[in-house]
Amino acid sequence: MAEPMRIRATMAGDVADVKVLMNHPMETGLRKDAKTGQLVPAHYITDVTATVNGAQVLDAGLSGGISKNPYLGFRVKGPKKGDKVVVNWTDNKGDKNSAEAIIG
């Protein structure tokens, strides 16, 4: 089971500011293990989606070039205080994770 993501969503005028910390190793498949000398298998997030009250507001493709435990911030115009934001990711091994927050 993947570690939980941390998500925070706040309103700034008519724009929701969403910040997400995704716990993930983000291995490129090119790094060698220091002890064995073997390549560490690729393991990275490939897709991130976000919805506000069920309506998709973000669909992003990622790759192995992103650092460990990626931080994603985005802004969405239109939501209101109290609306629900849900962020999901899927990785190249089929693992998934999800987090939600109420816009404050």
Side-chain angles (χ1 to χ4, degrees):
M1 173 88 185
E3 291 183 44
M5 289 190 278
R6 286 191 277 195
I7 181 171
R8 187 174 67 208
T10 55
M11 287 303 295
D14 64 346
V15 176
D17 187 23
V18 182
K19 296 178 170 113
V20 186
L21 180 62
M22 299 174 274
N23 294 306
H24 199 281
M26 299 299 285
E27 288 291 349
T28 64
L30 303 174
R31 187 177 67 84
K32 287 187 179 182
D33 183 292
K35 292 180 182 173
T36 66
Q38 300 293 314
L39 287 177
V40 175
H43 188 198
Y44 54 87
I45 295 172
T46 56
D47 191 49
V48 177
T49 59
T51 60
V52 174
N53 292 336
Q56 186 167 309
V57 295
L58 175 79
D59 186 3
L62 303 184
S63 68
I66 308 289
S67 67
K68 178 180 179 178
N69 298 328
Y71 171 83
L72 175 67
F74 61 95
R75 302 178 87 185
V76 181
K77 192 170 183 163
K80 298 174 195 63
K81 221 174 194 181
D83 287 353
K84 182 165 76 166
V85 177
V86 178
V87 177
N88 298 288
W89 63 248
T90 305
D91 70 18
N92 66 318
K93 293 186 174 186
D95 292 337
K96 297 175 190 246
N97 202 344
S98 182
E100 63 182 57
I102 301 300
I103 299 172

